[in-house]
Amino acid sequence: KLWREAKAECALRAKVEGDDKLAEALEECHVFTGEEETMGEVIAKLHSVRGVEFMLLSGFPSADLFRQYIEVATEATGVYIDAGEIEINDTTRILLVGGTRASIECNRSECYKVTALHGAQADVVAGGYAVIRPRHDEASSIGVRTSGNAIVL
């Protein structure tokens, strides 16, 4: 239910601000319907392009809500909540939340999606043919250094 309410609030805010295209996209979006049944489904949506866009636009879920699920935020999920100082190597889907500061190495010929929310920070070093897609909210930061043929989208 919280997911649907947050999405509706974001759409309404977009309409009020005159961004009808965004409002329509949010209303038609099938991400975070509130009908997700497993944590795996929620995590997959968190990592999706539309999921990231929604989180960045709406600020939802809040850092406090993320913290309620800290026990499922494992390395295997690519979600790091208040994880402190960490090092991540060649993980392609990364979501950093709150008190997390990550040093990330990306060296394979893949697209690495790195998202930082609610004050998280990341320093990414990319080499080879890595493609980096950093996204972050206003409270967070992601720095990227490239070498070789690595690029940032």
Side-chain angles (χ1 to χ4, degrees):
K1 184 178 175 183
L2 285 174
W3 299 105
R4 270 186 295 222
E5 290 172 4
K7 191 163 53 170
E9 285 177 23
C10 191
L12 180 60
R13 187 170 51 242
K15 280 183 184 177
V16 169
E17 293 172 358
D19 193 343
D20 293 332
K21 185 176 179 181
L22 174 59
E24 184 178 328
L26 286 167
E27 289 169 350
E28 293 177 3
C29 179
H30 298 290
V31 177
F32 303 128
T33 61
E35 297 173 12
E36 293 78 11
E37 294 185 13
T38 68
M39 190 50 74
E41 289 176 320
V42 172
I43 289 170
K45 288 184 177 188
L46 290 173
H47 284 300
S48 73
V49 172
R50 284 190 169 180
V52 170
E53 179 181 308
F54 174 70
M55 290 185 294
L56 291 172
L57 288 171
S58 69
F60 185 85
S62 67
D64 288 336
L65 184 56
F66 268 114
R67 288 179 183 113
Q68 292 178 25
Y69 298 96
I70 200 164
E71 71 280 353
V72 297
T74 64
E75 188 173 334
T77 66
V79 179
Y80 301 85
I81 303 168
D82 292 333
E85 301 255 346
I86 59 173
E87 293 184 9
I88 303 171
N89 294 304
D90 285 321
T91 299
T92 57
R93 298 182 323 162
I94 301 168
L95 174 59
L96 309 171
V97 180
T100 303
R101 180 169 176 83
S103 296
I104 303 170
E105 287 195 24
C106 306
N107 295 302
R108 295 190 313 234
S109 298
E110 296 196 46
C111 183
Y112 295 84
K113 298 172 185 167
V114 181
T115 305
L117 301 170
H118 305 300
Q121 299 177 7
D123 294 309
V124 179
V125 177
Y129 287 90
V131 177
I132 312 302
R133 187 167 198 271
R135 302 291 307 270
H136 61 85
D137 62 14
E138 292 179 6
S140 306
S141 65
I142 300 174
V144 181
R145 291 177 287 158
T146 61
S147 64
N149 294 301
I151 60 171
V152 179
L153 298 179

